[in-house]
């Protein structure tokens, strides 16, 4: 049996969405290992943005009436667009990097309305970004100008990371999607169909599987499924992924199955394996797992398989073969440094654990399996996967896509990476919890961690408690500082509009964010409007959170996003623009002296917070070393030099900023030298501080305080000796 795994358009075009790689890695370990995969979104973009296709699309656009001035301007420069487009795509694929000088030094690129966003602040930013980054941003604007023409004249639903997203979002009825599917194909649809044809003819699959992570993939998946059903009716189609998992749990519209044969929920490994067994006659239909089918003209949900889901440790290593890894396109859309990690460069995706170890946040879909069932992987297994993926892809950048990377798993992984001397760069989503001490953050940085994203959400202690977030503003401040001091970039997810949030709390939340940027412990952030979903504690029990669900009525297609009223909260929508503008300026270190209420064009209360509140939290000590006797010692620094001077010893400790010189008595110096050169050499043989100090007292005859209060101890603590909690 031949299987084709497809990522439908459109997700990111700089890196593959990992679901097909995960599934292919699993299927490699089964009897169904004859499978291929393709990113239809990337291939669609590459088929559009080339001279031949752009010329054809410009011809089509020129026939349209009542064009905007912007599109008229683009059409007037069509030959410059046609001339540049192939070279620009190669540049954004890092295949023609010398073009940067030409792009930046001349009027090489035609310019339309997107270039109007280039204000003086952005031009100043280019000075620190460098010529390559400036060229990348200019090329991004060039591509987006063409995208505007496509949206106005060819396909109004086109986007670079989504396709017809607004049609699929909150689609309780299948009617709008069906209407779009039944309309005549536009030119973008025809290009997608030709890509599907190419794969079907080359790979001759018996089964096609679409992973649909987001609303912006729904139309692309169904349009491709429609084409396959019409032209290759013998092929069976499966659909699954994040969108069905959250939106289609009560699916009952039989028309969906004109475009697919099976829709699965939650982890795909066991349901897909069962379906493949069924198609080969090795399993009865009634013994499928979490699968919707159409039978007798009605939708039927089958969950008769009693076998458990495939354990996270048994799900295999993601397999990126078949994907066009050297053809992904890196764009630079905005100055937000964390957004750049998402959109610029290709990252290997990996998961440290199944589910969330916290699983309490009241706004999150914690009732669903992908969050609620927590199962971590071992550090050695993760390191094995990392080595395998590096060998496959040739790249050493990793993005851990967990809901929240478990700190103790990441600690053990960091030690494993250092022990194996694996040189990688990685970033992850975290909770701002106290486990992330300054020493743990230094360990993560040493292992290759470059950035973290975490949920500060509504920066109000009352609301954080109501959310059951498990953190406080003080804790977030200290942890953000720990990461920043370790050289790790920090991005905060920010939320406004949580149930019962007042105008005062919104202003105070903005003041917290302002102070975090002022203290330079936060480098990036993004405000999200609270959304009530059906599978979150708020959606399941709105009365507890003092909100009222007012819609929509349950439909036959997607049921997840809920409309609600917040009678005890403020008018949250009023604050959206001020929050957005303030954050943009904070990230550029602008206007940090503005009062929080001045960002809004309506009357708001002044902040009730002290102007140096966050700095006071940051300055709070996390305890002396005498309070960490059960912590374990990890030595990451370079061995100091020891020079005997009579009864004392001069200790020279190398730092990135020069040499630190201290003095220590000869016995203590000999003990430290022995420990750092022999006993603490293994990164994984970690003794407790208490055992270390008892050994010190035994061998030198001196008290532990003599060492802990010495300049030498302070120096080596700051240059590579870490105390880690186990």
């Amino acid at each position: 049996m031949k299987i084709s795994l497809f990522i439908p358009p459109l997700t990111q075009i700089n890196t593959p969405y990992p679901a097909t790689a995960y599934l292919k890695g699993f299927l490699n370990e089964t009897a169904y290992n004859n499978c291929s995969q393709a990113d239809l979104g990337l291939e669609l973009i590459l088929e559009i943005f080339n001279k031949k296709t752009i010329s054809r699309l410009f011809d089509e656009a020129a026939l349209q009436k009542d064009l905007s001035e912007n599109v008229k301007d683009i059409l007037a420069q069509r030959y410059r667009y046609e001339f540049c487009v192939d070279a620009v795509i190669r540049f954004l694929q890092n295949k023609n990097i010398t073009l940067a000088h030409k792009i930046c030094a001349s009027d090489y690129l035609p310019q339309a309305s997107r270039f109007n966003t280039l204000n003086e602040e952005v031009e100043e930013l280019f000075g620190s970004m460098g010529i390559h980054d400036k060229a990348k941003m200019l090329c991004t604007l060039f591509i987006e100008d063409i995208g505007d023409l496509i949206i106005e004249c060819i396909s109004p639903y086109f986007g670079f990371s989504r396709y017809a997203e607004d049609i699929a979002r909150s689609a309780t009825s299948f009617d709008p999607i069906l209407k779009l599917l039944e309309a005549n194909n536009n030119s973008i649809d025809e290009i997608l169909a030709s890509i599907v044809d190419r794969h079907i003819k080359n790979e001759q699959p018996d089964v096609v599987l679409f992973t649909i992570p987001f609303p912006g993939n729904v139309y692309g998946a169904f349009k491709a499924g429609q084409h396959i059903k019409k032209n290759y009716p013998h092929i069976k189609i499966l659909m699954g992924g994040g969108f069905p998992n959250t939106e289609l749990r009560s699916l009952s519209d039989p028309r969906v199955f004109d475009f697919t044969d099976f829709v699965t929920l939650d982890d795909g490994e066991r349901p897909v394996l069962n379906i493949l067994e069924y198609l080969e006659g090795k399993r009865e239909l009634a013994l499928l797992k979490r699968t919707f089918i159409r039978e007798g003209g009605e939708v039927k949900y089958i969950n008769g398989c009693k076998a458990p889901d495939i354990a996270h440790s048994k799900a295999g290593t993601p397999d990126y073969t078949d994907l066009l890894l050297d053809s992904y396109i890196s764009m630079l859309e905005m100055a937000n440094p964390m957004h750049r990690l998402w959109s610029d460069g290709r990252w290997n995706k990996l998961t440290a654990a199944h589910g969330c170890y916290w699983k309490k946040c009241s706004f999150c879909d914690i009732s669903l399996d992908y969050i609620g069932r927590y199962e971590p992987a071992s550090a050695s297994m993760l390191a094995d996967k990392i080595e395998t993926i590096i060998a496959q892809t040739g790249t050493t950048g990793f993005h851990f896509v967990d809901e929240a990377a478990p700190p103790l798993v990441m600690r053990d992984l960091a030690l494993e990476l250092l022990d194996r001397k694996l040189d990688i760069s990685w970033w992850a989503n975290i909770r701002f919890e106290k486990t992330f001490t300054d020493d743990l953050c230094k360990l993560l940085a040493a292992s290759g961690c470059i950035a973290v994203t975490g949920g500060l959400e509504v920066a109000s202690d009352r609301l954080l408690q109501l959310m059951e977030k498990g953190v406080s503003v003080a804790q977030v401040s200290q942890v953000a500082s720990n990461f920043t001091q370790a050289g790790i970039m920090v991005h905060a997810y920010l939320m406004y509009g949580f149930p019962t949030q007042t105008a005062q709390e919104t202003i105070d939340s903005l003041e917290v964010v302002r102070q975090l940027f002022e203290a330079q412990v936060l480098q990036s952030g993004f405000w999200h409007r609270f959304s009530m979903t059906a599978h979150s504690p708020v959606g399941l029990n709105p009365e507890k959170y003092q909100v009222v669900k007012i819609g929509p009525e349950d439909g036959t297609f997607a049921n997840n996003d809920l409309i609600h009223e917040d009678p005890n909260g403020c008018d949250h929508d009023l604050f959206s623009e001020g929050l957005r503008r303030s954050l943009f300026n904070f990230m550029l270190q602008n206007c940090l002296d503005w009062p929080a209420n001045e960002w809004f064009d309506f009357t708001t209360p002044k902040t009730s917070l002290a102007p140096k509140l966050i700095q006071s939290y940051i300055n709070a000590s996390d305890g002396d070393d005498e309070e960490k006797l059960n912590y374990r010692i990890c030595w990451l620094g370079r061995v100091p030099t020891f020079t005997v001077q009579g009864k004392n010893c001069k200790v020279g400790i190398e730092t990135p900023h020069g040499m630190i010189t201290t003095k220590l008595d000869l016995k203590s110096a000999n003990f430290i030298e022995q420990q750092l050169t022999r006993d603490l050499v293994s990164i994984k043989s970690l003794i407790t501080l208490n055992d270390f100090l008892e050994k010190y007292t035994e061998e030198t005859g001196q008290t532990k305080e003599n060492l802990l209060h010495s300049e030498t101890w302070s120096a080596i603590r700051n240059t590579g000796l870490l105390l880690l909690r186990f």
Side-chain angles (χ1 to χ4, degrees):
M1 180 181 292
K2 294 184 178 180
I3 305 160
S4 289
L5 311 173
F6 289 148
I7 308 168
L10 280 149
T11 52
Q12 293 172 267
I13 58 175
N14 66 299
T15 196
Y17 189 78
T20 59
Y22 278 46
L23 196 53
K24 181 171 168 55
F26 167 71
L27 292 174
N28 287 343
E29 307 298 321
T30 73
Y32 303 100
N33 54 15
N34 188 3
C35 59
S36 60
Q37 63 181 324
D39 186 343
L40 302 185
L42 171 68
E43 295 184 30
L44 179 65
I45 293 295
L46 296 178
E47 288 287 344
I48 293 172
F49 287 90
N50 60 76
K51 182 176 181 179
K52 182 178 179 181
T53 305
I54 289 299
S55 178
R56 191 171 76 245
L57 295 179
F58 272 63
D59 285 341
E60 183 177 341
L63 299 175
Q64 305 295 321
K65 297 180 179 180
D66 300 321
L67 297 175
S68 68
E69 290 302 316
N70 182 51
V71 168
K72 289 178 182 178
D73 187 22
I74 295 171
L75 289 173
Q77 304 178 77
R78 65 170 293 173
Y79 295 108
R80 295 181 66 197
Y81 282 100
E82 293 171 9
F83 177 79
C84 294
V85 66
D86 289 333
V88 165
I89 292 297
R90 287 183 58 79
F91 174 76
L92 293 176
Q93 292 172 325
N94 292 313
K95 295 178 180 179
N96 186 19
I97 60 175
T98 56
L99 188 66
H101 299 273
K102 191 173 183 178
I103 293 168
C104 295
S106 70
D107 59 351
Y108 175 72
L109 297 178
Q111 299 185 10
S113 66
R114 292 285 179 161
F115 284 78
N116 296 338
T117 61
L118 290 178
N119 54 34
E120 290 183 4
E121 288 179 343
V122 176
E123 288 289 352
E124 289 177 7
L125 190 62
F126 285 149
S128 62
M129 291 167 66
I131 190 170
H132 184 84
D133 286 346
K134 179 176 181 178
K136 186 173 288 187
M137 180 171 277
L138 294 174
C139 286
T140 299
L141 298 174
F142 166 88
I143 292 294
E144 290 176 336
D145 273 336
I146 300 176
D148 290 341
L149 178 140
I150 292 172
I151 291 169
E152 182 171 330
C153 302
I154 311 296
S155 173
Y157 305 108
F158 177 77
F160 289 98
S161 59
R162 59 190 62 85
Y163 196 8
E165 179 183 64
D166 291 342
I167 300 295
R169 186 187 287 121
S170 303
T172 55
S173 170
F174 191 54
D175 289 345
I177 299 173
L178 184 61
K179 182 179 179 180
L180 192 59
L181 290 167
E182 291 178 339
N184 292 333
N185 282 356
N186 60 47
S187 295
I188 306 303
D189 295 331
E190 292 295 340
I191 294 171
L192 175 59
S194 69
I195 295 169
V196 172
D197 284 334
R198 182 173 67 235
H199 282 289
I200 298 298
K201 291 172 183 176
N202 289 342
E203 291 137 32
Q204 296 290 310
D206 303 295
V207 176
V208 165
L209 187 148
F210 292 99
T211 180
I212 310 175
F214 310 116
N217 302 95
V218 173
Y219 174 75
F222 277 84
K223 175 55 70 172
Q226 179 187 50
H227 184 75
I228 293 171
K229 282 289 185 185
K230 179 179 179 180
N231 296 281
Y232 312 97
H234 64 284
I235 295 177
K236 297 297 182 182
I237 301 175
L238 287 67
M239 292 183 179
F243 181 84
N245 293 349
T246 54
E247 305 280 342
L248 303 185
R249 304 191 77 87
S250 56
L251 176 65
S252 61
D253 193 326
R255 298 174 297 176
V256 167
F257 294 89
D258 292 336
F259 307 90
T260 186
D261 297 288
F262 305 92
V263 175
T264 68
L265 299 180
D266 299 328
D267 283 5
E269 289 87 357
R270 180 68 74 185
V272 168
L273 187 61
N274 287 356
I275 291 169
L276 297 176
E277 291 169 346
Y278 163 71
L279 293 175
E280 283 200 329
K282 298 177 180 178
R283 175 177 289 269
E284 295 179 14
L285 182 65
L287 296 180
L288 298 183
K289 193 174 189 74
R290 295 192 305 270
T291 301
F292 289 105
I293 64 166
R294 181 170 61 186
E295 189 175 65
E298 295 184 351
V299 177
K300 184 176 181 181
Y301 180 67
I302 304 176
N303 193 24
C305 174
K306 302 302 181 185
D309 278 295
I310 305 298
H312 183 59
S313 59
K314 303 294 184 183
T317 299
D319 183 348
Y320 287 89
T321 56
D322 302 327
L323 297 173
L324 306 178
L325 297 181
D326 64 344
S327 296
Y328 281 88
I329 299 168
S330 292
M331 298 174 72
L332 185 51
E333 301 171 87
M334 60 178 67
N336 184 319
M338 183 55 70
H339 189 275
R340 179 166 188 176
L341 284 183
W342 282 311
S343 63
D344 185 9
R346 190 180 60 74
W347 297 89
N348 300 312
K349 308 284 188 176
L350 202 55
T351 308
H354 182 284
C356 178
Y357 69 96
W358 180 249
K359 54 188 175 189
K360 294 181 182 179
C361 298
S362 58
F363 57 83
C364 189
D365 292 336
I366 60 176
S367 66
L368 299 183
D369 179 79
Y370 81 98
I371 292 176
R373 179 166 57 87
Y374 175 64
E375 185 183 343
S378 69
S380 60
M381 177 176 291
L382 288 172
D384 288 344
K385 291 183 177 184
I386 287 170
E387 289 184 320
T388 300
I389 292 171
I390 291 172
Q392 278 180 12
T393 66
T395 56
T396 57
F398 287 82
H399 175 199
F400 288 92
V401 294
D402 302 71
E403 296 297 310
L408 300 186
V409 173
M410 305 318 288
R411 176 202 65 195
D412 293 345
L413 175 61
L415 292 169
E416 188 73 26
L417 293 171
L418 291 166
D419 185 57
R420 298 192 190 193
K421 296 181 171 56
L422 278 174
D423 183 12
I424 70 169
S425 301
W426 62 270
W427 55 290
N429 190 40
I430 55 100
R431 290 181 62 251
F432 288 108
E433 61 163 80
K434 60 184 179 182
T435 308
F436 289 110
T437 62
D438 55 350
D439 282 5
L440 178 54
C441 291
K442 290 174 184 176
L443 175 71
L444 299 181
S447 74
C449 181
I450 60 171
V452 293
T453 62
L456 171 55
E457 318 304 355
V458 176
S460 154
D461 283 334
R462 180 187 79 84
L463 292 171
L464 287 171
Q465 282 189 320
L466 186 60
M467 289 178 174
E468 296 188 60
K469 187 72 185 176
V471 301
S472 65
V473 172
Q475 193 170 304
V476 170
S477 305
Q478 292 159 0
V479 171
S481 178
N482 290 341
F483 277 113
T484 299
Q485 293 304 313
I488 296 171
M489 181 170 64
V490 182
H491 171 92
Y493 294 114
L494 304 166
M495 182 187 294
Y496 68 102
F498 193 76
T500 72
Q501 182 177 356
T502 65
Q504 183 68 66
E505 286 170 324
T506 302
I507 293 297
D508 287 347
S509 294
L510 178 57
E511 174 64 11
V512 167
V513 173
R514 185 197 69 78
Q515 290 190 31
L516 287 167
F517 275 99
E518 183 180 49
Q520 298 186 9
V521 299
L522 192 61
Q523 294 78 48
S524 175
F526 191 82
W527 287 102
H528 301 258
R529 177 74 155 82
F530 167 74
S531 175
M532 191 167 95
T533 60
H535 311 294
S536 68
V538 178
L540 292 169
N541 188 10
E543 296 83 6
K544 176 181 176 181
Y545 299 90
Q546 302 179 51
V547 292
V548 180
K549 175 190 170 183
I550 59 174
E553 294 294 326
D554 288 345
T556 57
F557 187 59
N559 291 293
N560 187 40
D561 290 343
L562 304 177
I563 305 170
H564 71 283
E565 289 181 345
D566 183 7
N568 296 311
C570 61
D571 187 346
H572 306 301
D573 290 335
L574 287 176
F575 291 88
S576 59
E577 180 58 21
L579 293 174
R580 185 197 66 78
R581 286 191 299 111
S582 61
L583 188 59
F584 175 80
N585 281 279
F586 294 166
M587 286 190 289
L588 295 174
Q589 289 291 296
N590 291 336
C591 307
L592 288 170
D593 56 345
W594 282 27
N597 59 303
E598 289 194 10
W599 288 102
F600 306 96
D601 57 5
F602 55 94
T603 302
T604 68
K606 295 181 179 180
T607 182
S608 64
L609 303 182
K612 295 296 180 182
L613 177 67
I614 297 302
Q615 193 61 55
S616 71
Y617 291 149
I618 293 170
N619 294 340
S621 171
D622 67 347
D624 295 328
D625 287 352
E626 287 95 331
E627 301 172 20
K628 302 175 183 178
L629 296 179
N630 291 326
Y631 285 39
R632 294 184 180 271
I633 296 177
C634 176
W635 171 243
L636 299 179
R638 296 185 179 182
V639 177
T641 60
F642 296 86
T643 306
V644 177
Q645 295 180 333
K647 294 182 179 180
N648 292 319
C649 186
K650 184 175 76 171
V651 184
I653 303 171
E654 186 177 345
T655 77
H657 308 292
M659 186 72 72
I660 297 175
T661 302
T662 66
K663 273 189 177 182
L664 200 60
D665 67 89
L666 199 54
K667 285 185 177 181
S668 296
N670 288 337
F671 176 81
I672 291 293
E673 182 177 17
Q674 175 184 306
Q675 290 296 306
L676 299 186
T677 58
R678 190 186 72 187
D679 294 350
L680 297 178
V681 169
S682 172
I683 199 73
K684 297 175 76 175
S685 298
L686 307 180
I687 64 171
T688 66
L689 176 60
N690 187 63
D691 290 343
F692 177 89
L693 293 173
E694 285 187 354
K695 191 173 183 181
Y696 168 76
T697 299
E698 180 183 332
E699 294 189 11
T700 66
Q702 302 192 53
T703 65
K704 65 180 182 180
E705 288 79 12
N706 181 67
L707 179 61
L708 292 179
H709 296 164
S710 69
E711 289 184 2
T712 300
W713 180 258
S714 177
I716 63 174
R717 282 288 282 120
N718 290 323
T719 55
L721 194 147
L722 308 180
L723 298 179
L724 304 174
R725 189 172 69 181
F726 275 75

